[in-house]
């Protein structure tokens, strides 16, 4: 059987040209070579999808490599801005070849959009881990405060993530594909905050949805002020406590007396 297919293309079984030098060819044309490449890529994708369904990505597989490359995009965006995240710069930062970046993401635009999606997933995973570490049973105000603290640059990871989001947001103003990642209709964070306000027993006449919109957008802007050094974390915490005291008067600390104006808030529950 081996002798019968010797000298035949591996894809279409057509005759192969005789090699004058070097290794003998295994494909009769570039189109057959591309076909074989796509088949191998599809087989790898199927194996990785099966492994993910069984309980996680393949160790060292495409999912891990994509996150490695996306991490390089985040570092460049945080340090030098998104305009510096060329395919070559990202490849160098990730420690891979340019062809590897092109294989996994196709184009620079595809790389930037995918890296933003992956950043959302990474931040969500980290936030859930920190929320799970809260001492239980946590009161609704503590949970709400922990959710809002996720928008503040309390540590290097969140500081870097906020810088990356700012860089992406500016780019999204002229890029519909990036804008779609930011402007999804579901608004999960606002819905989460509104649900916490409603369950916590808000003050009479409070609209949880409107208050959630104000809190989420407000804390995002305050976090950017902290990055610029315009405000301190203590200032921002005092502002958040003021609004939480107003929205959830039954959950005020210190026996319901509230906090004296200008007094810094205590360290947050989640760091």
């Amino acid at each position: 059987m081996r002798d019968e297919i010797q000298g035949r293309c591996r894809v279409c079984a057509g005759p192969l040209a005789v090699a004058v030098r070097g290794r003998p060819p295994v494909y009769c044309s570039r189109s057959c070579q591309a076909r074989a490449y796509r088949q191998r890529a599809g087989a790898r994708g199927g194996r990785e999808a099966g492994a993910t369904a069984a309980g996680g990505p393949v160790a060292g597989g495409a999912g891990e490599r994509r996150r490695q490359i996306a991490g390089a995009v985040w570092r460049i965006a945080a340090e030098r801005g998104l305009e510096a995240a060329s395919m070559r710069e990202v490849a160098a930062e990730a420690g891979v070849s340019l062809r590897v970046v092109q294989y996994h993401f196709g184009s620079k635009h595809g790389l930037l959009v995918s890296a933003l999606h992956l950043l959302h997933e990474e931040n969500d995973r980290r936030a859930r881990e920190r929320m799970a570490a809260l001492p239980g049973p946590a009161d609704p105000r503590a949970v709400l405060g922990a959710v809002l603290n996720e928008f503040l640059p309390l540590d290097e990871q969140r500081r870097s993530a906020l810088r990356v989001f700012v860089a992406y947001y500016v780019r999204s103003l002229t890029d519909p594909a990036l804008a779609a990642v930011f402007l999804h209709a579901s608004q999960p964070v606002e819905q989460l905050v509104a649900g916490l306000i409603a369950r916590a027993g808000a003050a009479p006449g409070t609209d949880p949805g409107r208050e959630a919109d104000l809190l989420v957008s407000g804390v995002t802007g305050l976090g950017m002020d902290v990055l610029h050094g315009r405000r301190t974390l203590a200032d921002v915490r005092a502002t958040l406590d003021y609004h939480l005291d107003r929205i959830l008067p039954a959950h005020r600390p210190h026996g319901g007396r509230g906090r004296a104006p200008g007094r810094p808030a205590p360290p947050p529950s989640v760091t």
Side-chain angles (χ1 to χ4, degrees):
M1 183 67 178
R2 184 183 298 270
D3 292 336
E4 291 176 4
I5 63 172
Q6 188 173 8
R8 296 286 179 176
C9 174
R10 290 183 179 178
V11 174
C12 69
L16 297 174
V18 177
V20 178
R21 65 173 66 181
R23 298 173 60 183
V26 293
Y27 305 109
C28 65
S29 65
R30 288 187 179 275
S31 63
C32 281
Q33 184 179 11
R35 241 177 101 189
Y37 176 82
R38 289 194 295 270
Q39 289 170 354
R40 290 197 300 271
R44 283 197 298 270
R47 289 195 298 270
E48 288 158 4
T52 300
V58 178
E64 182 177 332
R65 180 54 58 87
R66 285 170 65 87
R67 286 190 293 273
Q68 174 189 352
I69 297 170
V73 176
W74 307 336
R75 291 191 296 275
I76 292 173
E79 295 168 6
R80 292 182 279 156
L82 206 58
E83 64 278 1
S86 68
M87 298 282 273
R88 290 187 182 279
E89 287 292 324
V90 170
E93 177 68 25
V96 300
S97 69
L98 177 60
R99 291 184 65 182
V100 169
V101 178
Q102 292 170 333
Y103 169 76
H104 284 285
F105 296 97
S107 65
K108 178 180 177 179
H109 190 258
L111 169 62
L112 296 182
V113 173
S114 296
L116 180 56
H117 278 291
L118 290 169
L119 181 61
H120 277 298
E121 293 175 7
E122 177 67 10
N123 285 339
D124 182 67
R125 181 186 66 80
R126 289 176 180 267
R128 289 179 184 276
E129 288 178 353
R130 286 189 284 257
M131 294 289 290
L134 282 173
D139 70 83
R141 179 183 169 125
V143 175
L144 182 56
V147 170
L148 295 173
N149 274 319
E150 287 301 318
F151 292 87
L152 297 176
L154 299 179
D155 54 34
E156 188 55 38
Q157 185 270 327
R158 279 174 281 196
R159 178 179 292 272
S160 177
L162 185 55
R163 291 176 66 91
V164 177
F165 271 122
V166 172
Y168 265 109
Y169 184 79
V170 172
R171 184 72 167 257
S172 75
L173 296 176
T174 55
D175 189 323
L178 291 179
V181 181
F182 280 103
L183 305 178
H184 45 78
S186 60
Q187 296 183 315
V189 178
E190 288 84 349
Q191 291 175 2
L192 171 62
V193 171
L196 289 170
I197 293 173
R199 288 195 295 273
T206 298
D207 184 327
R210 299 295 184 187
E211 295 291 355
D213 287 342
L214 181 63
L215 285 172
V216 172
S217 60
V219 76
T220 302
L222 291 171
M224 293 179 188
D225 280 353
V226 172
L227 284 182
H228 278 295
R230 185 167 177 263
R231 301 178 191 273
T232 66
L233 281 173
D235 292 335
V236 172
R237 288 168 180 157
T239 299
L240 283 178
D241 277 321
Y242 170 84
H243 286 286
L244 292 180
D245 285 349
R246 175 180 58 82
I247 298 168
L248 307 175
H251 294 273
R252 286 176 182 167
H254 310 298
R257 295 189 301 274
R259 187 170 292 107
R263 178 179 174 183
S269 303
V270 180
T271 57

